[in-house]
Amino acid sequence: MDTDAPEWMRGVTRIAVLTGAGISTDSGIPDYRGPQGIWTKDPSLADLFTYDTFVADAGVRRRLWSSYRELYRTEVAPNAAHAALAELEHGGKAVRVLTQNVDGLHQKAGSSERKVLELHGSLATVTCLSCGERSPTSNVLERGGEEPACSCGGILKPSVVMFGQFLDEDVLGRAGAVARASQLFLAIGSSLMVEPAAGLCAEAVRHGATLVIVNRDPTPYDDLATEVIREPIGTAVPRICAALLHG
Ligand code: ZN
């Protein structure tokens, strides 16, 4: 370990990484509630992602599907921060990613599917509300039509956690276990203001992990962190990962 490397990096092998919208803005994905955010620019889009309205109103579902091509953009590429986290895993560290994002960019960058927990689901698949079958969003969009339906006739819903829905218990349970087992809990690009992100930070620290936060703005957990890094994510994360691997 290089002598300039901070103390908290020493001997770390089990790393939990929590990521929020901030890690994907360099890939051109707007956040949700920032000035250029998806919900800020078009508040009616948030209504489309409200579970009760989605289920009850066919008009809402048609509007959701007509805006879906803009939300689910398959051409979006992961950036240097996603790539650095994938390299950290393949370089031999036990890395688990807990992401609040639904963009699939960690997996695209090379993080193993089974090492990534998507806390809020994924835009890449749809789930039938009647038979529970999951299918790739791209297949559904290719079929066209105003409102795609399952072969069983059921309503297809994007596999993301909508407003008014609970998070998946199994995913939450596994995320808690990852947080408790980590030596280093790295929170990147998340405001840490919504659950379960906030709770996972606290859980990790309670079980002895070092908390390091990389975020442009202050978070409610800054006081609990060993280090808070304000440097842009695109340079900070590759630098931290390289130091953890080669330092
Ligand atoms: Zn079905």
Side-chain angles (χ1 to χ4, degrees):
M1 175 74 47
D2 146 2
T3 45
D4 294 337
E7 188 72 33
W8 55 261
M9 286 191 180
R10 283 165 210 255
V12 166
T13 56
R14 294 189 310 280
I15 304 163
V17 185
L18 173 79
T19 62
I23 197 172
S24 292
T25 47
D26 278 353
S27 291
I29 296 184
D31 59 15
Y32 288 91
R33 297 184 191 283
Q36 292 301 312
I38 291 169
W39 307 147
T40 315
K41 291 207 312 201
D42 185 359
S44 74
L45 268 181
D47 296 338
L48 307 185
F49 282 87
T50 299
Y51 186 76
D52 288 346
T53 336
F54 178 86
V55 173
D57 189 338
V60 163
R61 294 198 294 275
R62 285 195 292 270
R63 275 168 55 213
L64 181 139
W65 289 113
S66 79
S67 61
Y68 216 67
R69 281 177 180 80
E70 197 186 325
L71 292 168
Y72 176 62
R73 289 159 40 219
T74 47
E75 77 283 5
V76 172
N79 61 55
H82 296 105
L85 292 170
E87 263 172 51
L88 191 60
E89 177 198 329
H90 297 296
K93 298 288 183 185
V95 181
R96 298 293 298 268
V97 176
L98 316 173
T99 187
Q100 295 176 278
N101 301 336
V102 293
D103 54 34
L105 291 181
H106 288 293
Q107 297 92 322
K108 253 193 194 175
S111 286
S112 308
E113 292 275 345
R114 65 195 170 82
K115 300 284 175 78
V116 180
L117 284 173
E118 294 174 309
L119 302 169
H120 295 167
S122 168
L123 288 172
T125 62
V126 299
T127 310
C128 172
L129 293 182
S130 300
C131 72
E133 187 174 287
R134 259 181 196 244
S135 37
T137 301
S138 48
N139 292 3
V140 171
L141 291 179
E142 270 166 28
R143 293 210 306 264
E146 281 198 311
E147 190 203 339
C150 180
S151 53
C152 82
I155 295 173
L156 291 178
K157 177 190 154 295
S159 311
V160 294
V161 178
M162 289 188 163
F163 297 114
Q165 267 196 301
F166 293 109
L167 271 64
D168 185 302
E169 294 261 348
D170 174 53
V171 172
L172 266 186
R174 287 190 287 150
V178 167
R180 289 190 293 275
S182 66
Q183 295 166 300
L184 171 62
F185 192 95
L186 200 52
I188 303 169
S190 170
S191 63
L192 303 179
M193 291 209 262
V194 293
E195 292 301 342
L200 289 168
C201 281
E203 183 89 348
V205 170
R206 230 178 2 255
H207 286 79
T210 300
L211 173 65
V212 172
I213 295 173
V214 186
N215 200 49
R216 184 190 53 198
D217 304 313
T219 81
Y221 287 86
D222 288 1
D223 289 345
L224 212 59
T226 298
E227 192 171 338
V228 177
I229 297 167
R230 300 266 180 250
E231 178 192 344
I233 290 168
T235 54
V237 173
R239 179 175 59 72
I240 293 167
C241 291
L244 282 164
L245 272 182
H246 313 295

mmCIF file of all heavy atoms in Angstrom, residues 127-134 149-156, ligand 1:
data_model
loop_
_atom_site.group_PDB
_atom_site.id
_atom_site.type_symbol
_atom_site.label_atom_id
_atom_site.label_comp_id
_atom_site.label_asym_id
_atom_site.label_seq_id
_atom_site.Cartn_x
_atom_site.Cartn_y
_atom_site.Cartn_z
ATOM 1 N N THR A 127 -42.641 -7.205 -15.970
ATOM 2 C CA THR A 127 -43.230 -8.317 -15.232
ATOM 3 C C THR A 127 -44.739 -8.319 -15.463
ATOM 4 O O THR A 127 -45.369 -7.253 -15.431
ATOM 5 C CB THR A 127 -42.961 -8.143 -13.718
ATOM 6 O OG1 THR A 127 -41.568 -7.896 -13.534
ATOM 7 C CG2 THR A 127 -43.354 -9.382 -12.923
ATOM 8 N N CYS A 128 -45.293 -9.496 -15.700
ATOM 9 C CA CYS A 128 -46.747 -9.602 -15.875
ATOM 10 C C CYS A 128 -47.412 -9.591 -14.499
ATOM 11 O O CYS A 128 -47.035 -10.362 -13.620
ATOM 12 C CB CYS A 128 -47.110 -10.875 -16.624
ATOM 13 S SG CYS A 128 -48.903 -11.142 -16.657
ATOM 14 N N LEU A 129 -48.400 -8.720 -14.336
ATOM 15 C CA LEU A 129 -49.061 -8.605 -13.030
ATOM 16 C C LEU A 129 -49.999 -9.780 -12.761
ATOM 17 O O LEU A 129 -50.418 -9.996 -11.635
ATOM 18 C CB LEU A 129 -49.838 -7.284 -12.940
ATOM 19 C CG LEU A 129 -48.989 -5.999 -12.920
ATOM 20 C CD1 LEU A 129 -49.881 -4.776 -12.786
ATOM 21 C CD2 LEU A 129 -47.951 -6.032 -11.815
ATOM 22 N N SER A 130 -50.333 -10.556 -13.812
ATOM 23 C CA SER A 130 -51.212 -11.712 -13.594
ATOM 24 C C SER A 130 -50.429 -12.998 -13.373
ATOM 25 O O SER A 130 -50.631 -13.681 -12.382
ATOM 26 C CB SER A 130 -52.157 -11.901 -14.780
ATOM 27 O OG SER A 130 -52.954 -10.755 -14.936
ATOM 28 N N CYS A 131 -49.514 -13.342 -14.305
ATOM 29 C CA CYS A 131 -48.836 -14.644 -14.183
ATOM 30 C C CYS A 131 -47.418 -14.512 -13.631
ATOM 31 O O CYS A 131 -46.776 -15.511 -13.346
ATOM 32 C CB CYS A 131 -48.818 -15.370 -15.523
ATOM 33 S SG CYS A 131 -47.684 -14.664 -16.735
ATOM 34 N N GLY A 132 -46.929 -13.291 -13.488
ATOM 35 C CA GLY A 132 -45.620 -13.084 -12.873
ATOM 36 C C GLY A 132 -44.435 -13.289 -13.802
ATOM 37 O O GLY A 132 -43.286 -13.137 -13.396
ATOM 38 N N GLU A 133 -44.693 -13.618 -15.073
ATOM 39 C CA GLU A 133 -43.571 -13.860 -15.985
ATOM 40 C C GLU A 133 -42.802 -12.566 -16.269
ATOM 41 O O GLU A 133 -43.382 -11.511 -16.458
ATOM 42 C CB GLU A 133 -44.089 -14.443 -17.303
ATOM 43 C CG GLU A 133 -42.952 -14.871 -18.212
ATOM 44 C CD GLU A 133 -43.454 -15.587 -19.469
ATOM 45 O OE1 GLU A 133 -43.886 -16.744 -19.330
ATOM 46 O OE2 GLU A 133 -43.434 -14.979 -20.545
ATOM 47 N N ARG A 134 -41.456 -12.738 -16.284
ATOM 48 C CA ARG A 134 -40.592 -11.609 -16.606
ATOM 49 C C ARG A 134 -40.093 -11.745 -18.022
ATOM 50 O O ARG A 134 -39.735 -12.836 -18.440
ATOM 51 C CB ARG A 134 -39.348 -11.650 -15.712
ATOM 52 C CG ARG A 134 -39.412 -10.703 -14.558
ATOM 53 C CD ARG A 134 -38.142 -10.799 -13.740
ATOM 54 N NE ARG A 134 -38.384 -10.178 -12.459
ATOM 55 C CZ ARG A 134 -37.753 -9.092 -12.039
ATOM 56 N NH1 ARG A 134 -36.798 -8.535 -12.764
ATOM 57 N NH2 ARG A 134 -38.046 -8.567 -10.872
ATOM 58 N N ALA A 149 -49.246 -6.362 -23.962
ATOM 59 C CA ALA A 149 -49.842 -7.231 -22.936
ATOM 60 C C ALA A 149 -49.089 -8.548 -22.911
ATOM 61 O O ALA A 149 -48.401 -8.896 -23.866
ATOM 62 C CB ALA A 149 -51.316 -7.476 -23.248
ATOM 63 N N CYS A 150 -49.216 -9.261 -21.823
ATOM 64 C CA CYS A 150 -48.593 -10.582 -21.688
ATOM 65 C C CYS A 150 -49.373 -11.580 -22.552
ATOM 66 O O CYS A 150 -50.543 -11.349 -22.866
ATOM 67 C CB CYS A 150 -48.632 -10.994 -20.224
ATOM 68 S SG CYS A 150 -47.909 -12.613 -19.903
ATOM 69 N N SER A 151 -48.744 -12.711 -22.903
ATOM 70 C CA SER A 151 -49.453 -13.726 -23.694
ATOM 71 C C SER A 151 -50.655 -14.276 -22.922
ATOM 72 O O SER A 151 -51.607 -14.769 -23.512
ATOM 73 C CB SER A 151 -48.504 -14.854 -24.104
ATOM 74 O OG SER A 151 -47.851 -15.348 -22.955
ATOM 75 N N CYS A 152 -50.622 -14.145 -21.571
ATOM 76 C CA CYS A 152 -51.770 -14.609 -20.770
ATOM 77 C C CYS A 152 -52.876 -13.553 -20.721
ATOM 78 O O CYS A 152 -53.928 -13.771 -20.143
ATOM 79 C CB CYS A 152 -51.321 -14.966 -19.346
ATOM 80 S SG CYS A 152 -51.176 -13.539 -18.245
ATOM 81 N N GLY A 153 -52.611 -12.385 -21.312
ATOM 82 C CA GLY A 153 -53.607 -11.315 -21.307
ATOM 83 C C GLY A 153 -53.413 -10.317 -20.176
ATOM 84 O O GLY A 153 -54.081 -9.280 -20.113
ATOM 85 N N GLY A 154 -52.480 -10.615 -19.245
ATOM 86 C CA GLY A 154 -52.258 -9.746 -18.084
ATOM 87 C C GLY A 154 -51.544 -8.441 -18.437
ATOM 88 O O GLY A 154 -50.982 -8.296 -19.521
ATOM 89 N N ILE A 155 -51.598 -7.510 -17.493
ATOM 90 C CA ILE A 155 -50.939 -6.206 -17.654
ATOM 91 C C ILE A 155 -49.432 -6.368 -17.459
ATOM 92 O O ILE A 155 -48.993 -6.982 -16.489
ATOM 93 C CB ILE A 155 -51.482 -5.201 -16.601
ATOM 94 C CG1 ILE A 155 -52.960 -4.912 -16.856
ATOM 95 C CG2 ILE A 155 -50.664 -3.918 -16.569
ATOM 96 C CD1 ILE A 155 -53.614 -4.052 -15.760
ATOM 97 N N LEU A 156 -48.644 -5.817 -18.375
ATOM 98 C CA LEU A 156 -47.189 -5.824 -18.217
ATOM 99 C C LEU A 156 -46.737 -4.540 -17.544
ATOM 100 O O LEU A 156 -47.139 -3.450 -17.948
ATOM 101 C CB LEU A 156 -46.498 -5.953 -19.579
ATOM 102 C CG LEU A 156 -46.630 -7.290 -20.296
ATOM 103 C CD1 LEU A 156 -45.934 -7.220 -21.656
ATOM 104 C CD2 LEU A 156 -46.051 -8.422 -19.462
HETATM 105 ZN ZN ZN B 1 -48.939 -13.127 -17.898
#
